Amino acid sequence: MKNFETHFNSPSNFQELSEARDLYWSDILSRSALAKTIMSGDFDKRLYAIYLIETYHYVIHNPRHQALVGVHAKNAPFNYVKFCYDHANEETGHEMMAFHDLLSLGLEKNSFTLDSPLNSTELLIGYLYYVSTTGNYLRRLGYSFWAEDSYGYIGELIGKVKEQLSLDHTQMTFLVSHSAIDEAHSAEIESMLNKYCSSAEDWNEVNRVMYTTLQIQALMLDEIDSEYQRIKKGEDSRYSFLNAIL
Amino acid sequence: MKNFETHFNSPSNFQELSEARDLYWSDILSRSALAKTIMSGDFDKRLYAIYLIETYHYVIHNPRHQALVGVHAKNAPFNYVKFCYDHANEETGHEMMAFHDLLSLGLEKNSFTLDSPLNSTELLIGYLYYVSTTGNYLRRLGYSFWAEDSYGYIGELIGKVKEQLSLDHTQMTFLVSHSAIDEAHSAEIESMLNKYCSSAEDWNEVNRVMYTTLQIQALMLDEIDSEYQRIKKGEDSRYSFLNAIL
Amino acid sequence: MKNFETHFNSPSNFQELSEARDLYWSDILSRSALAKTIMSGDFDKRLYAIYLIETYHYVIHNPRHQALVGVHAKNAPFNYVKFCYDHANEETGHEMMAFHDLLSLGLEKNSFTLDSPLNSTELLIGYLYYVSTTGNYLRRLGYSFWAEDSYGYIGELIGKVKEQLSLDHTQMTFLVSHSAIDEAHSAEIESMLNKYCSSAEDWNEVNRVMYTTLQIQALMLDEIDSEYQRIKKGEDSRYSFLNAIL
Amino acid sequence: MKNFETHFNSPSNFQELSEARDLYWSDILSRSALAKTIMSGDFDKRLYAIYLIETYHYVIHNPRHQALVGVHAKNAPFNYVKFCYDHANEETGHEMMAFHDLLSLGLEKNSFTLDSPLNSTELLIGYLYYVSTTGNYLRRLGYSFWAEDSYGYIGELIGKVKEQLSLDHTQMTFLVSHSAIDEAHSAEIESMLNKYCSSAEDWNEVNRVMYTTLQIQALMLDEIDSEYQRIKKGEDSRYSFLNAIL
């Protein structure tokens, strides 16, 4: 499987969508430079810090484009629109968990600025705004479907990071809260998908967005690793200020 | 006081904003052609029907521009942003109350279409989108402040309509739910205003939007009356289909 | 004729649209407080200054919402879309003519700020964004149709202002360039209307926007007069800084 | 060099930006599956057809997001804003060249629909809307810089396609007009960059967008190749209708 190609049997129900998610994750993790670095154990806090910074950047936008789905879903069932606003409400401020975890690594609050994200992070943000304001109004669910239930896929990596960096759980509030299988929330996304996806086109668009956002996330993970390798080698990087936490 | 002029002491706290609201309403009602028609008793169901149609048109947009405030309020306190999404959630589908009341007057469901609103109704809609996506992020509260707590001002008119048309309360679900002093909701708007308006500029912008939207509403009430007078005289009107409910 | 009512025979071709424009202007001027003030001769430079400030505020947005018509006119003929972008190009920077005329009255360039427009000016701006991004993609032509060819209607008023304030033509660059019958431009708007308005709905929507924007302009003219009367009486006004040019 | 990483000396002037463009293109072409397929000669008209379809999809949006730059560039120099609208004007309708070339391959006009683009094509579209409406107002120039002057890089590939498929130049109107070194247009983009990029941040953002859009284009070229390989193998594809032109 190469980037941005989604050919296998297109999912046509929730079960098949779940299987596609398994497949995409397994493909991504098998190719991920970041996963390799983590499993090798050859990394320090700066890698986790860069991950948290990029997470901060894209997570700020989650409630905004989630709300925009509601605004643009003109003929959607009221309960779906209400879900969009309710979910936007819930997601508001979650970037502060990533920010909190970042500070917990030893950075002084006003010693740095977070101006703009890495290229692939910005790509993820921009694509999600487009997805949320055009086309099939259900399709952003394909992003929620993986983004809010990833512990099963990255739990091992999280464990390795925690152990290697001797982090306690107060330093992993974002990953813990977002990756843990939040059963209530997962159930809500599943319920939305099952209630409102009623055509092959619906499932296709949800799958397209799940696939594409997962691919961009994979690019982001690689870019995080690459940026880390740069500061490790002492090369010029916007994130050189992280040397302060070594 | 003429249209679109707001000169008296600008409010600088909640008490003064409330007083300004009293003043604007009293000015509007004293000049309202619709209020005159209602108090004269010289009207039938078609007048109420036109009011419900225009209400349907603008109420559809309330949750949308309410949510857009949250999307655009980049540096706002999280609780204000969450209020925006939560409020959008609550407002979703309220236009169906106006539609229900309309059908209750005796219209067949598919015997008519509601293509586009009257001029002033569209003006209200357009202005609220602009207010919600530009400028001071608190200012849309000036609209909520009057729109969700108007029973004290129009209760007498509502009573007159109810009596004259022999309506029961199941035919006035929109007006009853929206005009009744919803104490919880009013308290929430008051709380937002008191918590987050912290400068003269904030109060000014809230006042500006309260004033301007009330003025446009006044124009809308006049246009409703005018459209009613037209069908009453048998003149050409987009709402001639309402003759079916006489 | 009252505000925001458009009942007479709806125009169904260019000739009838022109006649409607005559009618609206004549109604507006007969009721205009600003026109009365000007014809009475009882005014000074501050009145013209306020007019220029409000003009500056709304004219900045003209190219922007003009371009947005092109962006949103998904199925429009290419020549119409091209006209939108071309027209946006031409309109860019025209607010500087109003600003230039304002400075020519004797204000120091950095002695004042132009923070936000009057209520009705902002209403005009907001409505035009809505009109330009929703509904019939031809309808903004109803605004261009009067806004770019108004000399015939307000030429006498302009003459009176010029004479009373002893202005030379370098102090009236905005009004001269925008009100003079720009034959080429007028011909272009006429050509767009005749080429692309092909249904009663098209003409109706163009007429609706012509009518509504003219009415808001009328409100703006009244508000300008009212603000002038306030500073003349020494009452509190955001425009008190204009006393410097007396 | 891996995807979405832009580390080499950041360009700080036009010359360095041009060198970066050379580098990115050379990296892309060396890894491109589509380039490999073309150079191998093992392809037929369907490959070119898929390329034209994806081109049609993204080119429709070019004038729209180009115009949006002008709308959002609030404090930009007038000449830059005017360039945006003017350029939007010029780009309007160019997708019809790709459509024309597609029909010239032997498809019946109404025998197919072009519903939605491939994943990476949609990613390019969505990212460009985001880039055009947020952040540094100059940065979309990084896209124009390569998109309108690519003949030097892909001329050899175009030549190979032309020869292999025995196409005449009337069947390559899009590639010829867009890839040919349009000296006037190139000079205009160069002039904009040199006139308005005045800080390291400006050059960085232009470079970021040049790099990222080139990378997404590379993904798109790969996805086009992959889709072609599928229909060649008789696998299920949305583009199976292209078998008609064999």
Side-chain angles (χ1 to χ4, degrees):
Chain A
M1 187 159 47
K2 289 186 292 178
N3 283 338
F4 299 99
E5 295 158 27
T6 48
H7 286 298
F8 10 86
N9 296 324
S10 271
S12 60
N13 59 43
F14 184 79
Q15 176 58 28
E16 289 172 17
L17 190 77
S18 296
E19 287 162 17
R21 184 174 66 173
D22 289 347
L23 186 62
Y24 301 155
W25 264 114
S26 126
D27 172 59
I28 281 169
L29 292 174
S30 73
R31 295 186 291 132
S32 167
L34 181 65
K36 234 164 278 171
T37 297
I38 291 173
M39 293 320 288
S40 77
D42 191 13
F43 66 96
D44 55 50
K45 283 178 180 179
R46 295 172 300 183
L47 180 67
Y48 182 45
I50 299 173
Y51 168 79
L52 289 170
I53 291 170
E54 297 311 305
T55 297
Y56 173 84
H57 276 303
Y58 81 80
V59 166
I60 291 179
H61 297 278
N62 279 346
R64 294 178 193 155
H65 41 64
Q66 176 62 86
L68 288 172
V69 177
V71 174
H72 287 87
K74 294 289 153 64
N75 299 308
F78 293 137
N79 278 337
Y80 179 66
V81 175
K82 289 170 82 65
F83 157 81
C84 293
Y85 297 142
D86 187 45
H87 199 209
N89 180 0
E90 281 171 31
E91 295 285 313
T92 299
H94 280 198
E95 70 277 11
M96 293 314 291
M97 290 194 282
F99 193 70
H100 162 274
D101 294 347
L102 180 64
L103 293 185
S104 84
L105 299 178
L107 282 172
E108 294 286 324
K109 205 170 178 172
N110 296 311
S111 66
F112 62 98
T113 53
L114 299 179
D115 293 334
S116 70
L118 293 175
N119 295 336
S120 47
T121 312
E122 188 166 49
L123 182 58
L124 178 61
I125 296 165
Y127 176 70
L128 280 165
Y129 275 104
Y130 189 71
V131 156
S132 300
T133 55
T134 63
N136 188 303
Y137 58 67
L138 295 166
R139 62 187 187 158
R140 190 184 176 283
L141 287 168
Y143 170 60
S144 298
F145 182 53
W146 71 260
E148 314 215 24
D149 183 12
S150 53
Y151 195 84
Y153 305 98
I154 57 170
E156 191 186 350
L157 292 170
I158 294 175
K160 181 77 185 170
V161 170
K162 187 168 190 283
E163 182 200 326
Q164 166 98 6
L165 303 180
S166 306
L167 301 173
D168 62 45
H169 64 91
T170 68
Q171 295 177 292
M172 302 191 94
T173 61
F174 181 82
L175 275 170
V176 164
S177 77
H178 265 252
S179 295
I181 298 172
D182 175 338
E183 298 205 358
H185 209 177
S186 279
E188 197 183 9
I189 306 284
E190 178 172 349
S191 152
M192 286 294 128
L193 286 165
N194 280 321
K195 248 191 190 152
Y196 298 120
C197 286
S198 57
S199 65
E201 160 75 9
D202 290 341
W203 289 106
N204 262 335
E205 284 298 308
V206 166
N207 181 50
R208 174 209 280 266
V209 170
M210 173 169 73
Y211 178 79
T212 304
T213 50
L214 268 166
Q215 294 301 316
I216 309 173
Q217 188 221 26
L219 296 170
M220 187 182 85
L221 298 180
D222 279 1
E223 200 176 351
I224 288 167
D225 181 66
S226 161
E227 201 72 26
Y228 170 66
Q229 302 302 339
R230 290 184 54 78
I231 55 175
K232 210 173 139 193
K233 291 184 211 148
E235 291 172 18
D236 184 41
S237 165
R238 63 165 86 188
Y239 291 143
S240 301
F241 70 86
L242 293 174
N243 292 327
I245 63 175
L246 269 194
Chain B
M1 187 158 48
K2 289 186 292 178
N3 281 339
F4 299 99
E5 296 158 25
T6 49
H7 286 297
F8 13 85
N9 297 324
S10 271
S12 60
N13 59 44
F14 184 78
Q15 176 59 28
E16 288 172 16
L17 190 79
S18 295
E19 286 162 16
R21 183 174 66 172
D22 289 348
L23 186 62
Y24 302 154
W25 264 115
S26 127
D27 172 59
I28 281 169
L29 292 174
S30 74
R31 294 185 291 132
S32 165
L34 181 65
K36 233 165 277 167
T37 297
I38 291 173
M39 294 318 289
S40 76
D42 192 13
F43 67 95
D44 55 51
K45 283 178 179 180
R46 295 170 300 182
L47 180 66
Y48 182 45
I50 300 173
Y51 167 79
L52 290 170
I53 292 170
E54 297 310 306
T55 298
Y56 172 84
H57 276 302
Y58 82 81
V59 166
I60 291 178
H61 297 277
N62 280 344
R64 295 177 192 156
H65 41 65
Q66 176 64 85
L68 287 172
V69 177
V71 175
H72 287 88
K74 296 285 154 66
N75 299 309
F78 293 137
N79 278 338
Y80 179 66
V81 174
K82 288 170 82 66
F83 157 82
C84 292
Y85 297 142
D86 186 46
H87 200 208
N89 180 359
E90 282 171 29
E91 296 283 314
T92 299
H94 280 198
E95 69 277 11
M96 294 315 290
M97 290 193 282
F99 194 70
H100 163 275
D101 295 347
L102 180 64
L103 293 186
S104 84
L105 299 178
L107 283 172
E108 294 287 325
K109 204 169 178 175
N110 296 311
S111 66
F112 62 98
T113 53
L114 299 179
D115 294 332
S116 70
L118 292 174
N119 295 335
S120 46
T121 311
E122 188 166 50
L123 182 56
L124 178 61
I125 295 164
Y127 175 71
L128 280 164
Y129 275 103
Y130 188 71
V131 156
S132 299
T133 54
T134 63
N136 188 302
Y137 58 67
L138 295 166
R139 62 188 188 160
R140 191 184 175 283
L141 287 169
Y143 169 60
S144 297
F145 182 52
W146 72 261
E148 313 215 24
D149 183 11
S150 53
Y151 195 84
Y153 304 98
I154 57 169
E156 191 187 350
L157 292 169
I158 294 175
K160 181 77 185 173
V161 169
K162 187 167 192 282
E163 184 201 326
Q164 167 97 8
L165 303 180
S166 305
L167 301 173
D168 62 47
H169 64 92
T170 67
Q171 296 177 294
M172 302 190 95
T173 61
F174 181 81
L175 275 170
V176 164
S177 76
H178 266 252
S179 295
I181 298 171
D182 174 338
E183 298 205 358
H185 209 177
S186 280
E188 197 182 8
I189 306 283
E190 179 172 347
S191 153
M192 286 294 127
L193 287 165
N194 281 321
K195 247 191 191 151
Y196 298 120
C197 286
S198 57
S199 66
E201 162 74 10
D202 289 343
W203 289 106
N204 262 335
E205 283 298 308
V206 167
N207 181 51
R208 175 210 280 265
V209 170
M210 172 169 74
Y211 178 79
T212 304
T213 50
L214 268 165
Q215 294 300 316
I216 308 173
Q217 186 220 26
L219 295 171
M220 186 181 87
L221 298 181
D222 279 2
E223 200 176 350
I224 288 166
D225 180 66
S226 160
E227 200 73 22
Y228 170 66
Q229 302 302 336
R230 289 185 55 78
I231 54 176
K232 209 173 139 192
K233 290 185 211 147
E235 290 171 18
D236 185 42
S237 163
R238 64 165 86 186
Y239 292 142
S240 302
F241 70 85
L242 294 173
N243 292 327
I245 63 175
L246 270 193
Chain C
M1 185 158 50
K2 290 187 292 179
N3 283 338
F4 299 99
E5 295 160 25
T6 47
H7 285 299
F8 15 86
N9 297 324
S10 271
S12 61
N13 59 44
F14 184 78
Q15 175 58 29
E16 289 171 16
L17 190 78
S18 296
E19 287 162 15
R21 184 174 65 172
D22 289 347
L23 187 62
Y24 301 155
W25 264 114
S26 126
D27 172 59
I28 282 169
L29 292 173
S30 73
R31 294 186 291 131
S32 166
L34 181 65
K36 234 165 277 169
T37 297
I38 291 173
M39 294 318 290
S40 76
D42 192 12
F43 67 96
D44 56 49
K45 283 177 177 179
R46 295 172 301 183
L47 180 66
Y48 182 46
I50 299 173
Y51 168 79
L52 290 170
I53 291 171
E54 297 310 306
T55 299
Y56 173 84
H57 275 303
Y58 82 81
V59 166
I60 290 179
H61 297 277
N62 280 346
R64 295 177 192 156
H65 41 65
Q66 176 63 87
L68 287 172
V69 177
V71 174
H72 287 87
K74 296 285 154 68
N75 300 308
F78 293 137
N79 279 337
Y80 179 66
V81 174
K82 289 170 82 65
F83 158 81
C84 293
Y85 296 143
D86 186 46
H87 200 209
N89 181 0
E90 282 172 29
E91 296 283 313
T92 299
H94 280 197
E95 69 278 10
M96 294 315 290
M97 291 194 280
F99 193 69
H100 163 275
D101 294 347
L102 180 64
L103 293 185
S104 83
L105 299 177
L107 283 172
E108 295 285 325
K109 206 170 176 174
N110 296 311
S111 66
F112 62 97
T113 53
L114 298 179
D115 293 334
S116 70
L118 292 174
N119 294 335
S120 46
T121 311
E122 188 167 50
L123 182 57
L124 179 61
I125 296 164
Y127 175 71
L128 280 164
Y129 275 103
Y130 189 70
V131 156
S132 300
T133 55
T134 63
N136 188 302
Y137 58 67
L138 295 166
R139 61 187 189 159
R140 191 184 175 283
L141 287 169
Y143 169 61
S144 298
F145 181 52
W146 71 261
E148 314 215 24
D149 183 11
S150 53
Y151 195 85
Y153 305 100
I154 56 170
E156 191 187 349
L157 292 169
I158 294 174
K160 181 77 185 172
V161 169
K162 188 167 191 281
E163 183 200 326
Q164 166 98 7
L165 303 180
S166 305
L167 302 173
D168 62 45
H169 64 93
T170 68
Q171 296 177 293
M172 302 191 94
T173 61
F174 182 81
L175 276 170
V176 165
S177 77
H178 265 252
S179 294
I181 298 172
D182 174 338
E183 298 205 357
H185 209 177
S186 279
E188 197 183 8
I189 307 283
E190 180 174 346
S191 153
M192 287 294 128
L193 286 164
N194 280 320
K195 248 191 191 150
Y196 298 120
C197 287
S198 57
S199 66
E201 162 74 10
D202 289 342
W203 289 106
N204 262 336
E205 284 298 307
V206 166
N207 181 50
R208 175 210 279 266
V209 170
M210 172 169 74
Y211 178 80
T212 304
T213 50
L214 268 165
Q215 295 300 316
I216 309 173
Q217 186 221 27
L219 295 171
M220 187 182 85
L221 298 180
D222 279 1
E223 200 175 351
I224 288 166
D225 181 67
S226 161
E227 201 72 23
Y228 169 67
Q229 302 302 339
R230 290 186 55 78
I231 54 176
K232 210 174 140 192
K233 290 184 211 148
E235 291 172 18
D236 185 42
S237 165
R238 64 165 85 186
Y239 292 143
S240 302
F241 71 85
L242 293 174
N243 292 328
I245 62 176
L246 269 194
Chain D
M1 187 158 49
K2 288 186 294 178
N3 281 337
F4 299 96
E5 295 159 25
T6 48
H7 287 298
F8 11 86
N9 297 324
S10 270
S12 60
N13 58 44
F14 185 78
Q15 176 59 28
E16 288 172 17
L17 190 78
S18 295
E19 287 163 17
R21 185 175 65 172
D22 289 347
L23 187 62
Y24 302 154
W25 264 115
S26 127
D27 172 59
I28 281 169
L29 292 174
S30 74
R31 294 186 291 133
S32 167
L34 181 65
K36 233 165 278 169
T37 297
I38 291 173
M39 294 318 289
S40 77
D42 192 13
F43 66 95
D44 55 51
K45 283 179 180 179
R46 295 172 300 183
L47 180 66
Y48 182 45
I50 299 173
Y51 168 79
L52 289 170
I53 290 171
E54 297 310 305
T55 298
Y56 173 84
H57 276 303
Y58 80 82
V59 166
I60 290 178
H61 297 277
N62 280 346
R64 294 178 193 155
H65 41 66
Q66 176 63 86
L68 287 172
V69 177
V71 174
H72 287 87
K74 295 287 153 65
N75 300 307
F78 293 138
N79 278 338
Y80 179 66
V81 174
K82 289 170 81 66
F83 157 81
C84 293
Y85 296 143
D86 187 45
H87 199 209
N89 181 359
E90 281 171 31
E91 296 283 314
T92 299
H94 280 196
E95 69 277 12
M96 294 314 291
M97 291 193 282
F99 193 70
H100 162 274
D101 295 347
L102 180 64
L103 293 186
S104 84
L105 299 177
L107 283 171
E108 294 286 324
K109 204 170 177 173
N110 296 309
S111 66
F112 62 97
T113 53
L114 299 179
D115 293 334
S116 69
L118 293 174
N119 295 335
S120 46
T121 311
E122 188 166 50
L123 182 57
L124 178 61
I125 295 165
Y127 176 70
L128 280 164
Y129 275 104
Y130 189 70
V131 156
S132 300
T133 55
T134 62
N136 188 302
Y137 57 68
L138 294 166
R139 62 186 186 161
R140 191 184 175 285
L141 287 168
Y143 169 60
S144 297
F145 182 53
W146 71 261
E148 314 214 24
D149 183 11
S150 53
Y151 195 83
Y153 304 98
I154 56 170
E156 190 187 349
L157 292 169
I158 294 175
K160 181 76 185 172
V161 169
K162 188 166 189 284
E163 182 200 326
Q164 166 97 7
L165 303 180
S166 306
L167 301 173
D168 62 45
H169 64 93
T170 68
Q171 295 177 294
M172 302 190 96
T173 61
F174 181 81
L175 276 170
V176 164
S177 77
H178 267 252
S179 295
I181 298 172
D182 174 338
E183 298 205 358
H185 209 179
S186 280
E188 197 182 10
I189 306 283
E190 179 172 348
S191 154
M192 286 293 128
L193 287 164
N194 281 320
K195 246 190 191 153
Y196 298 121
C197 287
S198 58
S199 65
E201 161 74 10
D202 289 342
W203 289 106
N204 262 335
E205 284 298 308
V206 167
N207 180 51
R208 175 210 279 266
V209 170
M210 172 170 73
Y211 178 80
T212 305
T213 50
L214 269 165
Q215 294 300 316
I216 308 173
Q217 187 221 25
L219 296 171
M220 187 182 86
L221 298 180
D222 279 2
E223 200 175 351
I224 288 167
D225 181 67
S226 160
E227 201 72 23
Y228 169 67
Q229 303 301 339
R230 290 185 55 78
I231 54 176
K232 210 173 138 193
K233 291 183 211 149
E235 291 171 17
D236 185 41
S237 164
R238 63 165 86 185
Y239 292 142
S240 303
F241 70 87
L242 294 174
N243 292 327
I245 62 176
L246 270 193

